[in-house]
Amino acid sequence: YARNSNGYTVRAGSTFELSRLITGEASIGYGSRSYEDQRLRNVSGLLVAGSLIWKPTGLTTVSFSALTSIDESTLPGVSGVLSRSYSAQVEHAFRRYLIGTLKFGYTTADYDGSDRFDKIYSVGGDVIYKFTRDVHAKAQLRHDWLKSTVTGADYQATLFMLGLRLQR
């Protein structure tokens, strides 16, 4: 398949403040992608995005977000994937130098040109330790579950990452 394509995305949105403690942003738009290979159908759809951030204290932030996107695919006969992602996150600063985060996610993937439809669930957490203003260590643990309409495509995965960040 010749996967070269032309596409566009048009979005309009705004940020808002419901109170001093609750802020957010929202956008709506439309995206389309047409492929060079005539065997691949064009992918298009309504695109929405939004987030809501609640800061109940100076140390804790709770956020919710949603995003729709048109993604690429390498599966034969599938031109693209319409993905919808939803997430929730709680971040708390135990100390100025120690920040913990819990994350929950749910994503659906609708494969255009196929009967395949995936649901992906994830749960995880991060810990950031700030040695100095410029040097941080980050540990992340996440578990993902994929449930698919395609037999044999389901999986579970656990991911652990450890990193060091230098910023100036």
Side-chain angles (χ1 to χ4, degrees), residues 4 11 16 46-47 62 65 71 84 86 95 106 117 124 127 151-152 155 162 164 167:
N4 293 341
R11 272 187 210 264
F16 56 88
L46 181 68
L47 303 175
V62 180
S65 65
D71 302 323
R84 293 178 178 90
Y86 311 92
R95 298 279 188 259
Y106 172 70
F117 186 83
V127 175
T151 304
Y155 73 84
L162 185 60
L164 191 61
Q167 65 183 33

Side-chain angles (χ1 to χ4, degrees), residues 127 129 131 136-141 159-165:
V127 175
Y129 186 88
F131 296 106
H136 305 172
K138 180 178 180 181
Q140 180 183 49
L141 179 63
L159 173 73
F160 176 74
M161 292 190 292
L162 185 60
L164 191 61
R165 178 178 181 173

Side-chain angles (χ1 to χ4, degrees), residues 140-151:
Q140 180 183 49
L141 179 63
R142 188 179 81 215
H143 190 79
D144 297 333
W145 298 264
L146 182 133
K147 302 290 183 190
S148 180
T149 56
V150 173
T151 304

Side-chain angles (χ1 to χ4, degrees), residues 1-5 35-37 40 72-80:
Y1 290 92
R3 293 201 175 266
N4 293 341
S5 64
Y35 292 88
E36 191 176 282
D37 195 322
L40 296 172
E72 300 297 328
S73 173
T74 58
L75 296 177
V78 175
S79 49

Side-chain angles (χ1 to χ4, degrees), residues 14-120:
S14 179
T15 60
F16 56 88
E17 184 175 324
L18 298 176
S19 72
R20 287 180 343 136
L21 303 178
I22 301 174
T23 60
E25 58 184 38
S27 70
I28 189 165
Y30 188 80
S32 180
R33 182 165 299 284
S34 57
Y35 292 88
E36 191 176 282
D37 195 322
Q38 297 301 315
R39 296 174 292 174
L40 296 172
R41 295 184 350 188
N42 295 345
V43 180
S44 60
L46 181 68
L47 303 175
V48 295
S51 66
L52 192 61
I53 300 169
W54 174 42
K55 294 189 175 198
T57 71
L59 301 175
T60 303
T61 302
V62 180
S63 60
F64 303 95
S65 65
L67 175 67
T68 306
S69 63
I70 296 175
D71 302 323
E72 300 297 328
S73 173
T74 58
L75 296 177
V78 175
S79 49
V81 182
L82 185 60
S83 299
R84 293 178 178 90
S85 300
Y86 311 92
S87 64
Q89 175 175 306
V90 178
E91 181 180 283
H92 183 74
F94 298 100
R95 298 279 188 259
R96 286 190 320 224
Y97 57 86
L98 183 62
I99 300 168
T101 306
L102 289 175
K103 299 177 180 182
F104 305 92
Y106 172 70
T107 300
T108 61
D110 189 3
Y111 292 78
D112 196 331
S114 171
D115 292 336
R116 183 173 180 165
F117 186 83
D118 294 347
K119 296 178 183 176
I120 305 158

